[in-house]
C-alpha cells in the first residue's frame, strides 16, 4: 500500500483463445501450449502472433500463418538491414540535405508512426501498435525504397539509418530477442535495445502528411484510369485544379463563418444549420446530399488540421508535388512520360469534361497512345 508507483496501471482482457479462428481444444487437436509454440515457431514469432491476436474483449485468435510469416518477415528484415549497412560502407547512400519531397514525407510519416505506436503501447493495444510500429513502417519504407529505385536517387543515409534504429526499437516490446540481436550484433550498439529509450519524434506536419497521401492516392487513381483504357498508353497528362467549384467554395465560406465552440469545434446544431443552408439555397435532394457529404469531409479535415482545412484552395502546391515526382509516377504507371497542367492555365490540354472532373486533391489523368 505504501508503494503506489508499483501498482498495475491497467489490465486487459480477452475472450476465449482461438487457434486459426477455432476454439482451442484437445478434442479438436489444436491445443497449443506455450512451450510447444516456442519450439515450433521461436519465442519472437510466438510473441508476434500473440500481439496480433487481438486487443479487445473479442476472442484472441492466434494464427499459425502469422507466426510462420513472422519468421519470414524478420529474416528478410535482417537481410535488408545488412544490405543497407553494406551500401553505407560502399558509400552508395546519399549524403547532405534532405532536398526532395519524398525525403521530407518519409521523415514526417516516420515521426507520425513513432508517435502513434507509443500511444498504442501506452494503452496496451498491442495489435494496433504492431500495425503502426511494424506493418505501416514497412509499407512506408517500401514506398521510399521504390521511389529511390525508380528515380535512380540513392536513399538518404541519415534517414534510412534512423528508420532502421526506430523500427528496431518500435518492434522490441514484441520481438525483444530479434531486436536485441539487430541492435547489438548488426548495428553495433553497446547498450541494450530495451534500455535505449523511445525514439525522439517531432509532431508530424499535417499538410506534409496530406501531400504524401495525395501523391499516393493520385497514383492509385491514375492506375485505375489506365486499367479502364482499352488502348495501350505510352504517355499521358495530369490535370490539376487549384480551386474548388463555386458550390464547394460557398460551403467552405459558410463553415468558416459559422460560430465555433470555445475549443474550436463545431457545435452539435451545425448539421441542422447545414440543412437550413440547403433549404435557403433551394437545393434538390441530390444537391443537398452532396452538400452534406462535402461538409462532412471538410469538417474531418478541419478537426485534423485546423482552420486552414477550410481554405478555398489547398495549403500545398499539388502541381509541384506531382511535377517533382513525375518520373516516379511515369515509371510506376509504366509510361514513357507524363506532363502536369493546371486547369485554366494557357495551353492546358484536355476536354471540358476532363477539366471539370478535376478538383483540389483529385487530379485527373488523361492517357495518350
Amino acid at each position: 500500500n505504501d508503494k503506489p508507483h508499483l501498482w498495475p496501471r491497467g489490465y486487459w482482457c480477452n475472450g476465449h483463445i482461438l487457434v486459426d479462428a477455432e476454439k482451442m481444444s484437445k478434442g479438436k487437436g489444436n491445443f497449443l501450449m506455450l512451450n510447444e509454440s516456442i519450439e515450433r515457431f521461436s519465442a519472437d514469432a510466438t510473441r508476434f502472433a500473440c500481439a496480433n491476436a487481438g486487443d479487445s474483449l473479442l476472442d484472441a485468435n492466434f494464427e499459425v500463418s502469422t507466426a510462420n510469416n513472422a519468421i519470414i518477415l524478420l529474416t528478410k528484415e535482417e537481410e535488408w538491414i545488412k544490405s543497407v549497412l553494406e551500401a553505407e560502407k560502399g558509400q552508395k547512400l546519399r549524403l547532405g540535405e534532405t532536398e526532395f519531397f519524398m525525403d521530407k514525407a518519409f521523415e514526417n510519416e516516420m515521426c507520425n508512426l513513432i508517435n502513434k505506436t507509443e500511444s498504442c503501447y501506452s494503452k496496451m493495444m498491442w495489435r494496433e501498435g504492431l500495425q503502426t510500429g511494424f506493418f505501416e513502417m514497412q509499407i512506408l519504407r517500401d514506398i521510399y525504397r521504390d521511389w529511390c529505385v525508380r528515380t535512380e536517387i540513392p536513399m538518404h543515409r541519415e534517414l534510412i539509418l534512423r528508420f532502421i534504429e526506430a523500427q528496431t526499437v518500435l518492434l522490441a516490446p514484441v520481438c525483444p530477442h530479434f531486436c536485441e540481436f539487430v541492435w547489438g550484433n548488426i548495428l553495433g550498439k553497446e547498450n541494450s535495445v530495451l534500455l535505449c529509450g523511445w525514439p525522439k519524434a517531432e509532431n508530424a506536419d499535417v499538410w506534409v502528411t496530406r501531400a504524401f497521401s495525395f501523391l499516393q492516392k493520385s497514383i492509385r487513381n491514375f492506375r485505375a484510369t489506365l486499367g479502364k483504357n482499352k488502348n495501350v498508353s505510352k504517355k499521358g497528362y495530369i490535370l490539376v485544379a487549384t480551386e474548388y467549384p463555386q458550390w464547394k467554395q460557398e460551403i467552405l465560406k459558410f463553415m468558416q463563418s459559422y460560430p465555433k465552440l470555445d475549443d474550436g469545434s463545431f457545435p452539435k446544431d451545425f448539421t441542422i444549420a447545414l440543412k437550413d443552408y440547403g433549404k435557403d439555397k433551394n437545393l434538390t435532394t441530390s444537391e443537398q446530399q452532396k452538400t452534406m457529404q462535402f461538409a462532412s469531409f471538410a469538417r474531418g479535415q478541419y478537426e485534423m488540421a485546423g482552420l486552414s482545412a477550410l481554405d478555398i484552395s489547398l495549403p500545398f502546391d499539388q502541381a509541384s508535388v506531382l511535377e517533382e515526382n513525375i518520373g516516379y509516377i511515369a515509371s510506376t504507371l509504366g509510361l514513357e512520360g507524363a506532363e502536369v497542367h493546371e486547369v485554366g492555365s494557357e495551353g492546358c490540354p484536355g476536354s471540358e469534361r476532363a477539366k471539370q472532373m478535376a478538383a483540389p486533391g483529385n487530379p485527373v489523368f488523361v492517357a495518350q497512345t
Side-chain angles (χ1 to χ4, degrees):
N1 293 334
D2 59 344
K3 295 182 179 180
H5 62 284
L6 297 179
W7 296 353
R9 287 179 289 177
Y11 59 89
W12 207 264
C13 298
N14 285 110
H16 291 293
I17 299 176
L18 308 181
V19 174
D20 290 337
E22 291 189 351
K23 185 177 178 181
M24 191 163 62
S25 166
K26 290 183 179 180
K28 291 183 178 180
N30 66 345
F31 198 84
L32 187 63
M33 297 293 289
L34 182 60
N35 62 335
E36 294 173 340
S37 181
I38 292 173
E39 291 175 4
R40 183 175 174 184
F41 306 113
S42 79
D44 279 355
T46 297
R47 292 170 65 94
F48 191 101
C50 285
N52 196 58
D55 293 326
S56 67
L57 290 174
L58 299 175
D59 295 337
N61 184 27
F62 183 98
E63 296 181 294
V64 171
S65 60
T66 299
N68 281 323
N69 196 39
I71 299 172
I72 298 172
L73 289 172
L74 297 180
T75 301
K76 286 184 176 179
E77 188 68 8
E78 177 186 339
E79 293 304 315
W80 175 75
I81 293 172
K82 289 178 179 177
S83 70
V84 171
L85 297 181
E86 284 297 319
E88 182 198 15
K89 290 180 181 179
Q91 298 182 342
K92 296 180 180 179
L93 300 180
R94 178 163 44 98
L95 303 174
E97 297 294 326
T98 52
E99 55 183 308
F100 299 102
F101 166 78
M102 194 60 79
D103 288 334
K104 295 179 176 63
F106 180 56
E107 183 175 25
N108 186 71
E109 294 310 295
M110 195 192 319
C111 289
N112 191 24
L113 291 175
I114 289 172
N115 292 331
K116 282 184 176 181
T117 304
E118 182 178 20
S119 175
C120 291
Y121 283 168
S122 66
K123 298 172 184 176
M124 296 180 67
M125 297 173 64
W126 303 109
R127 181 165 61 181
E128 292 299 316
L130 188 63
Q131 180 67 30
T132 57
F134 182 74
F135 291 114
E136 291 185 25
M137 284 282 281
Q138 293 284 293
I139 293 171
L140 176 64
R141 185 275 314 274
D142 290 347
I143 292 173
Y144 182 66
R145 181 173 56 181
D146 183 55
W147 177 85
C148 291
V149 171
R150 292 183 182 279
T151 59
E152 298 183 350
I153 298 173
M155 293 186 293
H156 193 279
R157 177 184 178 277
E158 290 184 13
L159 286 181
I160 206 63
L161 291 182
R162 181 187 178 189
F163 171 87
I164 291 173
E165 291 187 8
Q167 174 74 102
T168 304
V169 176
L170 265 58
L171 188 60
V174 178
C175 302
H177 306 90
F178 169 79
C179 293
E180 192 69 66
F181 173 77
V182 170
W183 192 255
N185 293 47
I186 299 179
L187 297 180
K189 305 289 186 178
E190 293 183 359
N191 60 327
S192 169
V193 68
L194 303 178
L195 300 176
C196 67
W198 195 254
K200 294 181 180 179
E202 301 292 333
N203 291 329
D205 186 319
V206 173
W207 291 115
V208 174
T209 294
R210 178 85 179 269
F212 178 67
S213 177
F214 159 78
L215 176 61
Q216 300 305 312
K217 185 184 75 172
S218 296
I219 292 175
R220 289 195 299 270
N221 292 341
F222 299 162
R223 186 181 290 113
T225 299
L226 278 172
K228 298 176 183 178
N229 193 9
K230 296 180 180 179
N231 299 320
V232 178
S233 303
K234 295 183 179 179
K235 295 183 179 180
Y237 54 87
I238 301 169
L239 300 177
V240 177
T242 57
E243 290 187 344
Y244 288 104
Q246 187 62 34
W247 69 274
K248 288 186 176 181
Q249 291 187 31
E250 292 177 0
I251 294 172
L252 290 172
K253 290 177 181 178
F254 172 76
M255 295 178 70
Q256 289 173 3
S257 62
Y258 197 82
K260 316 291 191 303
L261 298 176
D262 292 339
D263 61 0
S265 62
F266 283 93
K268 292 181 179 180
D269 64 356
F270 173 70
T271 302
I272 298 174
L274 200 59
K275 291 180 180 178
D276 292 338
Y277 166 88
K279 292 178 181 178
D280 294 340
K281 294 286 184 177
N282 294 319
L283 300 181
T284 65
T285 303
S286 176
E287 291 172 336
Q288 179 72 8
Q289 186 177 10
K290 290 181 179 179
T291 295
M292 300 297 289
Q293 289 175 344
F294 179 71
S296 177
F297 164 78
R299 185 176 181 176
Q301 295 297 308
Y302 168 78
E303 292 172 353
M304 181 177 70
L307 196 59
S308 61
L310 303 180
D311 290 342
I312 301 303
S313 57
L314 293 180
F316 64 88
D317 192 331
Q318 304 167 87
S320 293
V321 172
L322 295 172
E323 286 171 350
E324 181 179 324
N325 294 283
I326 198 65
Y328 170 62
I329 295 171
S331 176
T332 301
L333 300 177
L335 301 174
E336 294 177 358
E339 297 177 347
V340 179
H341 297 276
E342 290 191 11
V343 174
S345 63
E346 186 177 351
C348 178
S351 65
E352 284 303 314
R353 181 175 179 275
K355 293 176 182 178
Q356 290 176 5
M357 288 175 61
N362 290 288
V364 169
F365 179 80
V366 180
Q368 295 174 302
T369 55

